Amino acid sequence: MRADRLVSLVLLLRQRGRLTADTLARELEVSTRTVLRDIEALSAAGVPVYAERGRYGGFALSPGFRTELTGLNHDEALALLTAGSGRGEQVFGLGSALASAMRKVADALPESHRGTASDAAQRFLVEPETDLLSRRLVTDEVPDTTMTEVRRAVLAGHKLRIHYAATGHAPQWRTVDPIGLVTVRDRGYLLATRSGTDRTYRLSRVLAAEELPEAAQRPNRVDLDRIWRERSARFLAGGDHVTVLVRVSPARREELLGTALAVRAEEPDADGWLRLEVTFQDSRHAEWALWQLSTDAEALAPQSLRASLRDRATAIATRYRDSDSSLRL
């Protein structure tokens, strides 16, 4: 909306001082022509914005033009700015709104809190794109138009029509009653019902979406945390999932957990390793995950998994032993 953009323009000038039209256009994700029109509108409305000519020119506001949000103390302001410094673009398509909100919070802070809170927030990094091993985090991507339709239907309480690509099936259109949105490890999910039956849809598999005018069939109040726990428990109890007892070096713990569906138990082992009970999608998934950890992990149960890993290791050893013999010949 234009009103929100005008507010964001004013806040950018308040926080950064003089800015060129090109810089403002990049920040607001609009054209330079739009920025110039907005500047004219602000001036006509009495906002003290003026242009400075020359090589280092741009637009600026007269000093002292601000409002203050006096109800926040330093730690409250720091909490908001730190939360806003994370990967907001992953929050159900609300990245632009989050950036705009953080500008408003920073601008409205009392002078005594503004500088110290902003400086302190720079000392915190929330969920970077890579870990210490330079592994890039894999995140789901959902087109903005699709995410907007889903979000609107959830908030308005309307039925939602989605073009969904379930694993192993051709994409199909289906109409659902949306309940809420959940994000877990940068993966987004839509909790809904379809013909009265619980359904959980991964947002990255929603190819298109359309909010419908009909009211969704859902309760007025909802406990998403409880619903998510119940659906997670049903998911882990169904299908071909396999539970594995494994010993793992502490240095490889996170790598193991990154491939598992769930951790059911964990305790230290006598030799400094960790003993975990974890769930995998199926036996092949479990074998693949533990093979990646080489000698830094040992499957203790089930016996069938130990046998599969032993047979694979034996085949590899035989292959390279035969290769060495042929080289000597």
Side-chain angles (χ1 to χ4, degrees):
M1 295 177 62
R2 191 186 185 198
D4 290 336
R5 190 175 69 244
L6 293 175
V7 172
S8 293
L9 193 156
V10 171
L11 295 179
L12 284 169
L13 294 177
R14 280 296 312 159
Q15 294 164 23
R16 301 191 192 178
R18 184 173 58 247
L19 294 173
T20 66
D22 288 342
T23 300
L24 289 168
R26 286 195 301 272
E27 289 288 339
L28 299 173
E29 299 180 352
V30 297
S31 67
T32 303
R33 184 186 298 273
T34 298
V35 168
L36 295 177
R37 285 199 300 264
D38 288 347
I39 292 291
E40 291 180 1
L42 289 173
S43 297
V47 177
V49 57
Y50 62 94
E52 294 186 358
R53 307 296 180 183
R55 180 179 180 183
Y56 299 104
F59 295 99
L61 291 170
S62 297
F65 183 78
R66 77 174 324 103
T67 59
E68 287 194 346
L69 185 63
T70 56
L72 292 179
N73 61 36
H74 176 270
D75 286 346
E76 291 170 340
L78 177 59
L80 284 174
L81 293 175
T82 300
S85 69
R87 303 172 68 199
E89 69 275 8
Q90 302 299 329
V91 187
F92 306 128
L94 294 172
S96 298
L98 179 60
S100 175
M102 289 302 103
R103 284 196 292 267
K104 294 176 183 179
V105 169
D107 185 78
L109 290 175
E111 187 70 37
S112 58
H113 295 333
R114 192 179 313 118
T116 54
S118 295
D119 290 343
Q122 295 177 11
R123 305 292 177 177
F124 299 157
L125 177 61
V126 181
E127 294 293 342
E129 292 187 355
T130 59
D131 61 15
L132 283 175
L133 300 178
S134 297
R135 295 174 299 194
R136 189 174 181 86
L137 299 180
V138 179
T139 59
D140 284 348
E141 295 185 2
V142 184
D144 289 343
T145 53
T146 299
M147 191 66 249
T148 297
E149 289 293 308
V150 172
R151 190 173 65 243
R152 285 177 177 171
V154 169
L155 297 179
H158 290 167
K159 288 184 178 293
L160 179 68
R161 188 167 177 259
I162 59 175
H163 194 212
Y164 191 74
T167 303
H169 296 81
Q172 292 183 347
W173 284 97
R174 57 200 72 188
T175 299
V176 302
D177 295 301
I179 296 174
L181 295 168
V182 177
T183 179
V184 181
R185 295 184 180 179
D186 289 328
R187 292 179 178 177
Y189 299 89
L190 167 67
L191 305 188
T193 61
R194 185 183 178 201
S195 300
T197 303
D198 290 346
R199 291 287 186 267
T200 301
Y201 300 102
R202 188 163 167 177
L203 290 174
S204 62
R205 294 177 183 155
V206 178
L207 306 181
E210 177 188 1
E211 178 191 3
L212 301 178
E214 296 89 350
Q217 299 298 312
R218 66 182 192 179
N220 293 329
R221 300 183 63 84
V222 63
D223 184 348
L224 280 185
D225 187 55
R226 176 186 58 79
I227 293 174
W228 180 254
R229 288 198 307 269
E230 291 174 352
R231 295 194 181 187
S232 297
R234 289 200 299 268
F235 173 76
L236 292 174
D240 298 324
H241 300 160
V242 59
T243 298
V244 175
L245 182 61
V246 58
R247 293 174 65 251
V248 64
S249 166
R252 307 296 293 275
R253 175 184 179 275
E254 293 303 318
E255 191 172 345
L256 172 65
L257 299 190
T259 60
L261 290 178
V263 180
R264 296 182 177 272
E266 178 177 356
E267 62 182 8
D269 210 358
D271 57 0
W273 278 30
L274 300 172
R275 185 179 289 247
L276 293 92
E277 186 178 346
V278 295
T279 299
F280 291 100
Q281 186 74 40
D282 51 35
S283 297
R284 292 181 61 185
H285 179 203
E287 180 181 339
W288 171 86
L290 293 179
W291 183 261
Q292 310 307 306
L293 301 179
S294 186
T295 57
D296 287 328
E298 178 188 2
L300 303 177
Q303 187 61 37
S304 58
L305 177 60
R306 288 179 59 88
S308 297
L309 290 168
R310 182 193 62 231
D311 292 345
R312 177 183 282 206
T314 299
I316 292 292
T318 301
R319 170 66 58 84
Y320 283 100
R321 182 174 62 245
D322 293 344
S323 177
D324 290 341
S325 299
S326 63
L327 289 175
R328 286 194 299 269
L329 293 175

